[in-house]
Amino acid sequence: KDVQKEREPHVYLSKEEVKEKIQSYNSSVTDKLKMTLNANGIYTGFIKVQMELCRPITVQSSQSQGRRAHSNNETAFYLPDGCVNTLHISSTNTVREVIEALLKKFFVADNPAKFALYKRCHKEDQVYTCKLSDREHPLYLRLVAGPRTEMLSFVLREHETGEVMWEAFSIPELQNFLRILDKEENDQLQILKNRYAAYRGKLEEALRGVLKPG
C-alpha cells in the first residue's frame, strides 16, 4: 500500500560509523555493486531505480542532444513497465539530483519537476511506498537499509494527477500525448471491430449449417 509520511530524520553518522556500515554493506553485496569510502568522508555507490511511469516521456533525438530540441526532434513514447536502471552516485547527491541524472542518462527532455522518487520497503509483512523529499540522500538510505532490494528499493513515478504541474509541459509534449492517445483509441477500436467481425462470421456460419436443407 502507498502511504504518505513525514520525512524520516537523518541520523548523522561519524566517519567511523560510516566506515563500519560500509564494510558490513560490502560483505553482504552479491552483485559486486559495492560502496567506496573516500578520504574526505564522502562515500560512493550504486542504487537501482525501477521506472513506474504511466504517462509517455519525451526523448530527444541524437541530433538535438546538448541543446534545446525542437518538437520535430523529440519523440514521445511509453517506457516499458518495470524497467530498472542503475546509477552510480555519492552520499552528497540528493533525490532531485538523482531524478535529473536518470532523465539525463536516457536523454529525457521532460521537466524533472514532473517526477518524484519513492522508497519502497517491507515492514511487518506489508509493502509501504513513501515519496521522498527532494533533499533526502538516496545512497544514505541504501547504506542504512543494506543491499537487499526486498528491504528497500527506489521507484521513479510521475507526481499524482492532483500534483501535476501542467505548466511544466510544453505544447509539443501535450500534442504528442494527444497523438498517442488517439492512436491507442484507434488501435483498441480496430481490435473490437475485428473481434466482433470474427464472432459475426461464426454465427452466420452456424446459421447456414442449421438452415441447410435436409
Side-chain angles (χ1 to χ4, degrees), residues 56-119:
I57 58 173
T58 305
V59 178
Q60 297 179 5
S61 67
S62 57
Q63 291 81 8
S64 62
Q65 292 162 13
R67 58 184 174 84
R68 183 166 180 80
H70 299 291
S71 60
N72 59 346
N73 289 326
E74 296 179 345
T75 304
F77 68 95
Y78 284 97
L79 199 66
D81 189 32
C83 177
V84 177
N85 294 287
T86 302
L87 283 180
H88 185 249
I89 62 174
S90 81
S91 56
T92 62
N93 289 132
T94 63
V95 164
R96 179 52 47 190
E97 290 171 334
V98 166
I99 293 174
E100 292 173 353
L102 271 174
L103 300 183
K104 183 177 180 181
K105 183 176 181 180
F106 295 97
F107 308 109
V108 178
D110 298 86
N111 191 323
K114 301 174 188 175
F115 305 93
L117 190 67
Y118 290 75
K119 67 175 180 179

Side-chain angles (χ1 to χ4, degrees), residues 21 25 30 114 154-155 166-167 184 207:
K21 281 191 173 293
Y25 182 98
T30 58
K114 301 174 188 175
F154 296 104
V155 180
W166 295 107
E167 64 273 14
E184 289 187 343
L207 284 171

